[in-house]
Amino acid sequence: MISVSNAYKHAMSKTLRDRAYISVGIGVVNQSAQENGTIVADKAYWSNGNVFDTSAKNIEYATLEENYFRVDGSMYFMPENNERIQLLTNGVVTDEICGIVRINFNDTYSIKGVTLDFGSAYPASFAIKTAAKTLEYVNDSDYFYTTDVLGDTNYIEIVPTAMVGGQQRFRLRSILMGVGLVYANNHTKNMSLEEYVSSISEDLPSETLKYSFFDELKQFDVDNENSFINFLETMQKITLSFGITLETGDIEWHQIATTYLKDWKSQNGIVSLTATDRLAQMEDEYTLANRIYDRTAYAEAQAIFNDAGLQPDEYFIDEYLNDVYLHNPMPKGTHKECLQILANACRCIVRQDENGIIRIVANFANVLEPEDLDIATNGVTAWSKPTNILIGSSVVYADMTTDFTNAQGTMYFLPENGNYLETSYVSEQIAKTDGTFDENPRLSIKMPASYTYFNVTVDFNGNHPEEMTIYTYHNGSLVDNVNFTGLKQSNLLIYEFKDFDEMVFEFTKGHPNNRVLVNSVAFADLSDYVLTKKDMLSYPVGYKERRVKAVRCKIFTYKLNDKNEPEEVKDEVFAAKVINANGDIKTIQNPLVSTESHAALLAEWIGNYYSNNISYDVDYRGEPRNNAADIIHMESEAMNNLQVEITKHTLSYNGAFRGKMELRRALKMAGG
C-alpha cells in the first residue's frame, strides 16, 4: 500500500470527492544508443561524470571562469593537491573554453530527440551535429530538450557557439537519447491498471497498464516518418501518477506504477499503449540453473537478478531469505519462472512496486506469533521474563520502589528460592526523582522478516512511565523514530511504522523512583484502509472454494548422473498438514524443497491459505494507493475486524476513479 498523508485519506473518504489528476510519463528513448555511447572530448582533469546516468547527482566546482564563480554556498572548492580520488561527480567539463563534446556509438542508431542537462553555465547557442544533419539552437535554460529527428547516426557532436556567462567551459551533466513525454487529464481518453499477486506464489504476478490518449497534433501518426510511434520500443518505461485535490485546494501527487511498454497502436488521432511489469518481459533462460550446491535463498535470488541484468537498485530481497538454506538445483527456466519457484519455496511473494523495483518479501505471517519474535533488553531484574510481553502476564512482584507495592492482593512476594512465576518485562534501571534514568531502559523486538504496521498497543503494569521513543530498523539501518508522551496504563499508539524488522522501545522518562514494567506489546493493523459499504458500488459477491482436507509437500532428492548433471531420485516422500476431516488433498511439488522441516513449513503455510477459503469480488469507487497483496479491512455484517488480502486489483480512470478487487480472507486474522 502506497504511503499517503492523512489529508489525502480524508479527501478520498468524502462522499463527493474533489477533482483528481492523472500524469502518464512516456520515455521515448533509444535505449541501445543510451547504453552504448562513449564520450570523446578534451576534458578538464576534474571531469569525472557518467553523462549517460541521468539519475546521477552532480555538483559544481568553483573555477575562475567569466561570470561563473559563485559565493552563495552552492559550489565546491577543488581538493588540495589535485587529489582526483576525492573528486565528486560533476559530469563532463571541457578543458577549453566553449569546448566540444562528442559521443560515439558502437553502431548506427535512429534517434528522435535529445535531452541535455548543462547545469548553470549553459550554452546560449549551440549546434548538434550527427552523421545525418546539423541542427542549430538558441537556448536560455540549463535543461534543454528537442523532439527533432537526429537521423540515423553513429555519433552526436555538441558544439557550443556562445556561453551564457561569456568565456566559460562547456559542461554536460547528462544526456538522454530521446525525450520524456507527459500526458495529463486533457489528453487522457481512458486508463486501466490491473495487478495480480498470488498469496502463496502459486503462479507469476502480473501488472498491466492500458492507456489511451488523444493525439491532436498527430505526433504518433504512423504515416509520418518523423512520428514518435516510429521511435517507440518495447521495454520503454511508462510511469503512472495521480494527483488528489485536498480540502485546502492543494494537490497531493503519488506515483502508483512503473511499467514497461509491450505494444502500441494509433488510430484516427487516438494512441493506445499496453505496458506490463518488468517480470513479464524477463523471458531469457537462467544460465546458472541445474546445479547442486549449498547456498542461501538470498544468494540464489541475487544470482537470478544479476543473471537477468538487473542492477542492485532495481530489486529488493527480504533479509529473511538469508535464513533459508537450499541444496537442490534450481530447475531450468526463465528468470521470472525461477523467481516464482524461489518465492514459493521461501513462503514469499514476488511483485513489482510503484517505482518498478521487483521485490521478494515474506508473506507467511500476517499476525505474528510469540515464537516468531526475538526479545532483547539492556538489563532486567532476576524475576523478569521479557519474552512474555508477547502474551502478557498477570503476575507482578511487590518491589520496594516508591508508591509501587499495594495491599489489594494483586501482587506477589518475591520467593526466597528464586523460583519465580511467569512475569513480563521488568527493567533493571530505576528512574530518579525527576523521572530520568542514568541509562534509559531499552526493549527490542526482532521480527523474522520486514513488516509495516499502522499501530502498536503497549500495556504497562505498576506505575506506567511518562515518555518513550520507538525506533524502527531495517537490516540494521534506522528507519524511523517517534516520541510518545502522556502515556497511560494501556496505550494504542497510532502511527504508520513502515517496513521494519526490528522495533526498539526506549523509555526516556519513568515514574519517579520506579522501574518500567511492560505487560504486553501487540502489533495490530497491517493497513489503515477500510473498504466501507459506502465505497462499494454493489454488494460483494462471496464464494467458498472446495474444502481442502490436507496439503502434502513433496521432498525432492537429487544425485549426479554419469554426465555430472543433477538427476531426481524417484521416490514419494511427503510432509503433510491436515486441515479438515474431509475434502480434497493438495500436493505441492517445489523442487527446491529438500528437507522434511522445509516441507513441513511450506505445507503449513499453504495449509493456512486453503483454510481461509472464502473469497470476494467487489466493485468499488477506486483507490490509487491500494495494491495487490495488501491486507485491508472490509466492512461485514457477519464479522468484526474482517481482514482480507487483495489478490487482484483493477483501477480505471476516465475523469473519475472506479475499481474492482478480488479479495481473500487473510492467512491469519486477529481474533479470527
Side-chain angles (χ1 to χ4, degrees):
M1 179 164 287
I2 295 170
S3 181
V4 297
S5 70
N6 289 328
Y8 172 103
K9 297 171 188 176
H10 174 71
M12 292 300 286
S13 68
K14 293 169 64 175
T15 302
L16 294 176
R17 293 170 172 171
D18 292 317
R19 189 179 183 189
Y21 297 85
I22 189 173
S23 177
V24 178
I26 305 172
V28 184
V29 178
N30 189 313
Q31 200 61 40
S32 297
Q34 187 72 18
E35 294 173 354
N36 293 290
T38 303
I39 293 292
V40 179
D42 292 327
K43 296 183 288 186
Y45 76 85
W46 63 89
S47 171
N48 69 348
N50 174 11
V51 296
F52 303 107
D53 180 5
T54 57
S55 64
K57 183 179 180 181
N58 288 273
I59 60 93
E60 290 180 292
Y61 279 117
T63 56
L64 298 176
E65 299 164 43
E66 186 178 359
N67 296 318
Y68 183 69
F69 194 115
R70 297 192 301 274
V71 291
D72 58 359
S74 64
M75 287 185 164
Y76 289 73
F77 287 113
M78 294 283 190
E80 293 183 7
N81 303 320
N82 295 339
E83 294 182 26
R84 300 189 183 195
I85 196 170
Q86 299 180 15
L87 290 169
L88 301 173
T89 303
N90 58 91
V92 170
V93 184
T94 63
D95 198 34
E96 297 181 357
I97 301 299
C98 264
I100 297 172
V101 171
R102 180 185 172 105
I103 296 132
N104 287 338
F105 302 119
N106 66 342
D107 202 347
T108 297
Y109 296 106
S110 179
I111 300 174
K112 178 178 176 62
V114 66
T115 304
L116 304 167
D117 182 0
F118 298 120
S120 62
Y122 55 84
S125 60
F126 66 97
I128 295 178
K129 295 182 179 181
T130 72
K133 60 182 69 176
T134 297
L135 301 168
E136 296 182 350
Y137 298 98
V138 175
N139 177 48
D140 61 358
S141 174
D142 57 349
Y143 191 80
F144 171 87
Y145 76 92
T146 177
T147 59
D148 291 340
V149 175
L150 305 188
D152 296 336
T153 184
N154 60 353
Y155 75 91
I156 292 176
E157 211 170 65
I158 306 170
V159 184
T161 51
M163 302 299 294
V164 66
Q167 296 298 300
Q168 296 175 333
R169 293 179 172 90
F170 175 51
R171 291 166 170 81
L172 180 63
R173 289 183 167 192
S174 68
I175 182 169
L176 188 66
M177 305 302 169
V179 292
L181 306 175
V182 178
Y183 294 93
N185 289 46
N186 57 328
H187 304 101
T188 299
K189 183 175 184 287
N190 51 58
M191 181 285 308
S192 72
L193 178 69
E194 181 180 284
E195 184 185 16
Y196 164 77
V197 175
S198 167
S199 305
I200 54 173
S201 291
E202 191 173 23
D203 44 29
L204 282 162
S206 64
E207 186 174 33
T208 303
L209 171 67
K210 294 183 178 180
Y211 179 64
S212 297
F213 61 93
F214 299 106
D215 180 30
E216 298 94 340
L217 300 178
K218 304 296 183 181
Q219 290 180 305
F220 288 82
D221 188 345
V222 294
D223 297 323
N224 180 355
E225 65 177 14
N226 293 327
S227 167
F228 277 121
I229 205 164
N230 297 319
F231 295 88
L232 292 176
E233 297 178 358
T234 57
M235 287 300 290
Q236 284 179 338
K237 186 180 291 187
I238 299 181
T239 58
L240 173 65
S241 301
F242 282 107
I244 308 300
T245 303
L246 308 180
E247 202 163 51
T248 59
D250 296 328
I251 301 170
E252 181 171 324
W253 283 93
H254 291 283
Q255 182 171 307
I256 70 165
T258 299
T259 55
Y260 299 88
L261 190 60
K262 180 181 180 183
D263 53 55
W264 55 92
K265 63 181 179 181
S266 176
Q267 182 182 21
N268 195 28
I270 296 176
V271 180
S272 299
L273 307 176
T274 300
T276 65
D277 56 281
R278 190 167 185 177
L279 274 165
Q281 301 184 43
M282 290 170 63
E283 297 284 2
D284 292 338
E285 294 286 315
Y286 177 39
T287 62
L288 302 177
N290 205 36
R291 297 182 302 151
I292 295 177
Y293 68 108
D294 294 323
R295 73 279 191 199
T296 65
Y298 192 99
E300 183 72 75
Q302 275 188 317
I304 296 170
F305 283 125
N306 293 342
D307 193 61
L310 273 70
Q311 299 301 312
D313 61 352
E314 295 179 304
Y315 61 83
F316 171 87
I317 308 169
D318 200 314
E319 282 291 318
Y320 153 72
L321 271 72
N322 274 316
D323 298 327
V324 181
Y325 296 92
L326 304 175
H327 175 76
N328 285 355
M330 174 65 73
K332 293 180 179 179
T334 63
H335 293 107
K336 64 181 181 182
E337 291 168 343
C338 293
L339 287 171
Q340 182 254 322
I341 292 169
L342 183 68
N344 175 264
C346 297
R347 300 181 295 162
C348 292
I349 57 172
V350 56
R351 63 176 295 268
Q352 181 178 286
D353 71 11
E354 65 273 15
N355 297 310
I357 297 171
I358 300 174
R359 303 174 68 87
I360 300 180
V361 293
N363 196 44
F364 52 78
N366 294 328
V367 177
L368 292 168
E369 302 291 349
E371 60 269 22
D372 297 329
L373 308 174
D374 293 323
I375 309 299
T377 73
N378 66 339
V380 292
T381 62
W383 60 91
S384 174
K385 296 289 180 64
T387 54
N388 283 339
I389 63 170
L390 306 174
I391 57 176
S393 172
S394 60
V395 177
V396 178
Y397 280 112
D399 187 6
M400 302 310 295
T401 50
T402 305
D403 298 327
F404 177 76
T405 302
N406 63 60
Q408 299 173 357
T410 59
M411 291 186 173
Y412 292 78
F413 288 112
L414 289 166
E416 295 181 359
N417 59 8
N419 292 327
Y420 302 115
L421 299 173
E422 293 289 321
T423 61
S424 199
Y425 168 81
V426 184
S427 72
E428 183 180 36
Q429 299 88 347
I430 299 175
K432 295 183 287 189
T433 304
D434 62 357
T436 62
F437 298 90
D438 288 331
E439 179 186 9
N440 290 337
R442 289 171 67 91
L443 174 64
S444 165
I445 301 178
K446 179 72 174 175
M447 316 292 201
S450 56
Y451 296 84
T452 294
Y453 281 99
F454 282 77
N455 57 65
V456 174
T457 300
V458 182
D459 290 343
F460 296 103
N461 284 323
N463 295 314
H464 59 80
E466 295 182 22
E467 297 177 8
M468 73 175 173
T469 300
I470 293 181
Y471 300 87
T472 56
Y473 297 85
H474 186 265
N475 295 344
S477 298
L478 182 67
V479 176
D480 209 349
N481 65 88
V482 192
N483 297 315
F484 294 96
T485 60
L487 299 176
K488 301 178 293 185
Q489 207 72 20
S490 182
N491 304 270
L492 176 61
L493 308 176
I494 299 175
Y495 186 81
E496 185 178 350
F497 298 99
K498 301 175 191 172
D499 201 24
F500 68 95
D501 57 21
E502 183 180 12
M503 179 173 282
V504 176
F505 302 82
E506 180 174 349
F507 304 98
T508 53
K509 188 172 184 181
H511 189 85
N513 303 309
N514 269 236
R515 304 180 194 276
V516 175
L517 282 73
V518 178
N519 179 41
S520 64
V521 173
F523 299 96
D525 295 328
L526 292 146
S527 167
D528 65 346
Y529 178 78
V530 181
L531 179 62
T532 64
K533 292 176 183 177
K534 76 172 186 178
D535 292 321
M536 301 176 189
L537 302 178
S538 60
Y539 286 106
V541 177
Y543 50 95
K544 194 169 187 176
E545 297 174 359
R546 288 171 59 90
R547 187 185 297 272
V548 172
K549 177 181 179 180
V551 172
R552 301 192 312 160
C553 183
K554 182 171 169 48
I555 302 168
F556 285 80
T557 303
Y558 287 84
K559 65 178 182 179
L560 294 175
N561 62 19
D562 295 340
K563 297 179 180 179
N564 208 34
E565 296 175 340
E567 184 177 279
E568 182 187 345
V569 176
K570 299 298 182 181
D571 56 15
E572 296 292 321
V573 183
F574 296 88
K577 169 72 173 179
V578 177
I579 304 171
N580 296 299
N582 51 61
D584 298 336
I585 294 178
K586 296 285 186 180
T587 300
I588 308 303
Q589 300 196 53
N590 189 311
L592 296 180
V593 177
S594 61
T595 66
E596 184 178 353
S597 59
H598 190 170
L601 280 173
L602 198 56
E604 181 182 20
W605 180 56
I606 295 175
N608 285 337
Y609 172 81
Y610 284 117
S611 292
N612 293 322
N613 63 344
I614 297 177
S615 299
Y616 309 88
D617 289 342
V618 59
D619 292 309
Y620 80 120
R621 295 200 298 166
E623 166 58 88
R625 69 179 173 126
N626 284 337
N627 295 121
D630 285 344
I631 305 291
I632 64 171
H633 297 270
M634 184 172 76
E635 279 193 358
S636 169
E637 295 179 355
M639 293 187 65
N640 294 322
N641 193 31
L642 177 58
Q643 284 185 306
V644 289
E645 187 167 10
I646 304 173
T647 56
K648 181 182 285 188
H649 183 247
T650 303
L651 181 72
S652 60
Y653 179 82
N654 60 357
F657 294 118
R658 187 183 177 99
K660 182 180 179 65
M661 289 192 284
E662 293 182 14
L663 308 165
R664 188 184 182 99
R665 294 269 181 93
L667 296 182
K668 296 179 183 178
M669 291 195 304

